[in-house]
């Protein structure tokens, strides 16, 4: 069974980069950790998710067939449970943020034309839209009908929340990165530029390093 | 006290003899409208917070709410809950290219296979 994990199973068409199951899992784990730490919603990884779900189903099928040794069965079952837990947790964290920042995310998504920069998966977009719509209908039926004219507009902007890009996060530099621009928070123009050594760890605000996160130069810890 | 300013306006009008009008009290009217807005916003927040809790129920109790909770929520809230449920189910079904994944399960990491004996 361990042999099959080294098989090439994922080929990302455009980039021509094929990955083994363990590589896919590792990327998914990293995406999961990042998603839990990041103050905003990160780019969706539905390809990785779909791939691992497929893997789990295959593994489960294989397990059904081999009724041998209890011991090996238990270990593989635990691996399956572990992977399913990671996937579920990852998607749950995303849903939580989608619900919290629905309005902001949909607006941003509407202004994003490039598919590779999309943050929400198509199904997540549908989810966000229906969620917002359900809130609007609810407020409409419960409150707005019974309230005098001057208060009647449902101020979606007031109820919606934006992620705090200034939240502090821990990160590790995966590669040497020079010239990271840190703006002076007090607005007094004392901007700083720092160099990050490979392997170094830092505590910084999310906003200045988000582009490094997306390029893979740093990872959140 | 709520509505104190509005009461002031009414008293002002009442104090005048029939047919007479006091000066248009712009200041107090403004304060009353502000108070209305504040109350409304607080009300909106409360409605929203209730929905948040009802949402949490879905994740804790599943798609059927226990009787004692159902007793405390109004009809529109029940409808909202059903809609939320439907939306969530639809999303979960779409995962894994149609195979589906129940996200309300696996809420804790799997236990360790071996227990350390000392």
């Amino acid at each position: 069974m361990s042999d099959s994990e080294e098989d090439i199973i994922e080929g990302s068409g455009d980039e021509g980069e094929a990955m083994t199951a363990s590589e896919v899992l590792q990327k998914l784990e990293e995406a999961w950790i990042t998603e839990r730490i990041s103050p905003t919603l990160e780019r969706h990884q539905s390809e990785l998710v779909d791939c691992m779900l497929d893997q789990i189903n295959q593994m489960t099928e294989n397990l059904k067939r081999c009724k041998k040794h209890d011991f090996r069965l238990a270990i593989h079952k635990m691996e399956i449970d572990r992977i399913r837990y990671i996937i579920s947790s990852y998607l749950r964290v995303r849903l939580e943020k989608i619900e919290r920042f629905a309005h902001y995310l949909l607006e941003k998504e509407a202004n994003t034309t490039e598919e590779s920069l999309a943050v929400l998966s198509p199904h997540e977009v549908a989810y966000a839209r229906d969620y917002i719509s359900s809130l609007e209908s609810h407020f409409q039926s419960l409150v707005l009908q019974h309230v005098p004219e001057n208060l009647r507009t449902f101020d979606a902007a007031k109820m919606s929340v934006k992620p705090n890009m200034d939240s502090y996060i821990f990160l590790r530099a995966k590669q040497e990165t020079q010239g990271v621009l840190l703006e002076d928070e007090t607005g007094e123009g004392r901007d700083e530029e720092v160099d990050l050594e490979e392997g170094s760890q830092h505590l910084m605000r999310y906003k200045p390093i988000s582009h490094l996160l997306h390029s893979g130069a740093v990872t959140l810890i | 006290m709520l509505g104190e300013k509005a009461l002031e306006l009414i008293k002002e009008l009442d104090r005048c003899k029939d047919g007479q009008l006091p000066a248009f009290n712009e200041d107090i009217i403004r304060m009353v409208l502000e108070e209305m807005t504040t109350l409304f916003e607080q009300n909106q927040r409360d409605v929203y917070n209730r929905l948040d809790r009802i949402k949490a129920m879905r994740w804790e109790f599943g798609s059927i709410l226990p009787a004692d909770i159902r007793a405390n929520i109004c009809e529109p809230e029940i409808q909202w809950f059903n809609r939320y449920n439907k939306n969530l189910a639809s999303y979960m079904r779409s995962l894994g290219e149609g195979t589906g994944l129940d996200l309300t399960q696996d809420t804790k990491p799997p236990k360790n296979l071996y227990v350390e004996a000392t």
Side-chain angles (χ1 to χ4, degrees):
Chain A
M1 195 154 287
S2 52
D3 288 340
S4 68
E5 282 192 8
E6 291 313 306
D7 290 345
I8 307 288
I9 51 150
E10 162 99 337
S12 261
D14 294 340
E15 297 151 18
E17 195 193 302
M19 290 191 270
T20 62
S22 20
E23 283 170 347
V24 174
L25 182 59
Q26 201 211 350
K27 282 205 171 228
L28 191 59
E29 280 184 20
E30 201 179 324
W32 171 55
I33 293 175
T34 304
E35 196 70 73
R36 280 162 65 198
I37 301 174
S38 169
T40 186
L41 191 70
E42 297 294 325
R43 287 181 203 151
H44 74 88
Q45 304 289 340
S46 7
E47 278 178 17
L48 296 180
V49 169
D50 289 344
C51 178
M52 276 328 291
L53 279 178
D54 192 44
Q55 274 297 96
I56 291 184
N57 288 334
Q58 274 183 43
M59 282 167 81
T60 310
E61 284 306 311
N62 290 346
L63 279 190
K64 279 190 201 154
R65 279 189 278 119
C66 91
K67 284 195 179 183
K68 297 183 195 172
H69 224 289
D70 240 20
F71 184 67
R72 213 165 64 139
L73 213 64
I75 291 187
H76 284 297
K77 175 151 191 318
M78 200 175 94
E79 178 70 0
I80 291 175
D81 286 346
R82 189 179 150 259
I83 296 175
R84 200 185 315 111
Y85 168 73
I86 292 175
I87 296 177
S88 297
S89 178
Y90 172 67
L91 294 174
R92 274 195 296 264
V93 166
R94 286 185 67 85
L95 276 191
E96 242 180 281
K97 288 195 217 174
I98 289 172
E99 285 171 0
R100 216 183 318 150
F101 307 130
H103 203 253
Y104 163 85
L105 289 172
L106 283 181
E107 240 179 50
K108 221 172 92 167
E109 205 73 347
N111 295 332
T112 309
T113 39
E114 233 193 276
E115 207 183 299
S116 60
L117 296 179
V119 172
L120 299 164
S121 74
H123 292 290
E124 285 173 340
V125 170
Y127 183 85
R129 287 204 182 123
D130 197 274
Y131 182 72
I132 287 184
S133 168
S134 76
L135 286 181
E136 280 177 6
S137 312
H138 182 78
F139 275 99
Q140 185 64 41
S141 66
L142 202 60
V143 181
L144 298 173
Q145 278 175 3
H146 308 292
V147 136
E149 279 300 336
N150 66 322
L151 299 172
R152 208 165 275 200
T153 41
F154 177 77
D155 208 344
K158 279 209 184 139
M159 290 313 295
S160 71
V161 178
K162 281 208 271 222
N164 182 8
M165 301 299 213
D166 290 324
S167 305
Y168 278 84
I169 45 92
F170 283 94
L171 63 87
R172 183 189 313 121
K174 292 206 280 196
Q175 49 197 199
E176 188 180 329
T177 310
Q178 299 186 332
V180 180
L181 180 63
L182 303 174
E183 283 168 17
D184 183 2
E185 298 159 48
T186 60
E188 281 173 20
R190 283 178 304 186
D191 297 344
E192 236 183 285
E193 252 191 38
V194 294
D195 296 333
L196 308 177
E197 276 177 29
E198 180 180 339
S200 61
Q201 298 177 154
H202 306 266
L203 173 62
M204 289 181 179
R205 288 180 307 137
Y206 177 83
K207 192 157 72 176
I209 55 92
S210 64
H211 66 287
L212 295 175
L213 183 63
H214 298 142
S215 72
V218 306
T219 184
L220 302 187
I221 53 176
Chain B
M1 190 192 85
L2 290 179
E4 198 179 295
K5 290 288 172 219
L7 193 59
E8 247 181 67
L9 283 178
I10 296 176
K11 284 182 186 165
E12 216 175 69
L13 190 60
D14 200 48
R15 261 181 243 127
C16 292
K17 291 194 221 131
D18 289 322
Q20 280 188 338
L21 280 178
F24 184 79
N25 201 329
E26 198 176 315
D27 287 336
I28 299 201
I29 295 234
R30 197 174 13 94
M31 283 156 93
V32 172
L33 289 174
E34 269 171 26
E35 189 181 337
M36 282 172 77
T37 310
T38 311
L39 286 174
F40 176 67
E41 281 168 5
Q42 181 60 45
N43 191 17
Q44 246 190 346
R45 274 197 291 272
D46 290 339
V47 171
Y48 192 68
N49 286 338
R50 278 182 70 93
L51 286 185
D52 255 1
R53 297 215 181 166
I54 294 174
K55 204 199 312 174
M57 305 282 170
R58 170 64 186 89
W59 289 90
E60 199 180 318
F61 295 116
S63 49
I64 304 190
L65 291 176
D68 54 348
I69 290 172
R70 267 193 80 106
N72 286 337
I73 59 180
C74 63
E75 184 59 35
E77 285 173 332
I78 293 179
Q79 284 181 16
W80 186 85
F81 176 79
N82 290 335
R83 185 166 172 182
Y84 178 77
N85 204 9
K86 190 160 156 244
N87 193 21
L88 183 62
S90 184
Y91 172 72
M92 296 196 297
R93 255 196 313 270
S94 76
L95 296 171
E97 296 171 325
T99 28
L101 178 66
D102 188 350
L103 296 178
T104 63
Q105 304 299 315
D106 307 296
T107 51
K108 296 209 166 74
K111 291 204 182 77
N112 247 330
L113 195 57
Y114 301 117
V115 178
E116 194 173 305
T118 44

